[in-house]
Amino acid sequence: MVSLDGALGRYAAALAAVPARAARAMADGLNEGGDVERTAVRRALRAQTGVKRYGAVVERTSARRASPGHLEYAIDGKGKGMPIREFPVRAAVRAPVTAQPWGVSHTFARSFKTSAKGLLRARRGASRFPIRALYGPAIPKEIVRDQSAAEFEANAAGRVEGAVLKRLGRLLPRGFRIGCRKVKRVPPASAKACARQAPGIFPVRPSEN
């Protein structure tokens, strides 16, 4: 989850004259940066789980977007395990099913491919019935660990703050700028570097115009 907290409080005083517009700018920036991070997390999930289709990850992730009254953006995973057909799979009638969830080859015990519809199933025990469907990784479990979690921790805050600073900067009175000292504008790509320099609101000196 990406959310705005006290880190942006240092801008409040200079933006107090336009509170409604400032809240909207923060929400829009949070959504802009959050959407970029959502795409990055989805790509990480595809690589992490080994699923063939990027769309399979998109279908199982969603965003709760920010608003002026609720400055929080969340990326959620939903659904149960993905059907095993979403992964590289090898199966034949009267032969066990081998698939590669998480990019690792795995043969399912007592599994088979049905002759009528080509379904991939496995028996629950030694007897013929009952049988069960085969599933791979579940996005709600995967989104909080490994590559997707590392991507979020490494990049979410910088992407969001860069987008928020850009939008808040448009609201400042003439003669002020938002960003880092000695830098007129802070593009999203330099948000991490800016964060290390304690970004804030500064008067623009004549030499900086």
Side-chain angles (χ1 to χ4, degrees):
M1 179 183 293
V2 189
S3 62
L4 286 174
D5 52 26
L8 294 173
R10 56 182 173 269
Y11 309 125
L15 295 164
V18 285
R21 292 176 62 196
R24 169 50 65 187
M26 287 184 179
D28 289 346
L30 187 51
N31 288 329
E32 177 186 334
D35 285 348
V36 173
E37 182 59 25
R38 179 186 60 186
T39 298
V41 167
R42 284 171 168 172
R43 288 172 177 165
L45 280 168
R46 184 186 183 189
Q48 176 179 322
T49 61
V51 69
K52 293 185 292 185
R53 294 188 309 116
Y54 176 69
V57 176
V58 173
E59 292 163 5
R60 293 168 175 83
T61 50
S62 61
R64 284 180 279 142
R65 299 174 66 77
S67 66
H70 186 70
L71 294 176
E72 186 173 271
Y73 182 105
I75 305 169
D76 296 321
K78 55 187 178 181
K80 56 182 181 179
M82 291 179 281
I84 206 63
R85 282 194 178 279
E86 294 285 3
F87 303 88
V89 64
R90 185 172 67 254
V93 177
R94 297 189 181 129
V97 176
T98 299
Q100 296 181 37
W102 296 285
V104 178
S105 182
H106 175 76
T107 299
F108 291 85
R110 300 182 297 277
S111 61
F112 60 94
K113 178 181 180 180
T114 64
S115 57
K117 296 184 178 180
L119 303 176
L120 304 180
R121 296 291 186 264
R123 294 184 174 86
R124 293 186 179 276
S127 59
R128 186 175 180 183
F129 294 101
I131 61 175
R132 64 181 178 88
L134 301 177
Y135 295 96
I139 292 298
K141 294 181 179 179
E142 298 295 321
I143 200 171
V144 294
R145 64 190 184 193
D146 299 336
Q147 291 164 261
S148 54
E151 158 58 39
F152 182 86
E153 292 297 329
N155 299 309
R159 284 178 171 142
V160 167
E161 184 159 344
V164 171
L165 294 182
K166 177 182 69 176
R167 290 177 180 271
L168 288 179
R170 297 169 184 169
L171 303 181
L172 290 176
R174 186 175 181 83
F176 284 81
R177 61 176 169 80
I178 193 167
C180 304
R181 292 187 185 277
K182 299 181 181 179
V183 179
K184 288 186 178 181
R185 288 186 175 273
V186 185
S190 63
K192 285 186 180 179
C194 180
R196 290 194 293 269
Q197 299 177 41
I201 296 174
F202 307 111
V204 177
R205 299 188 180 97
S207 61
E208 295 178 321
N209 286 325

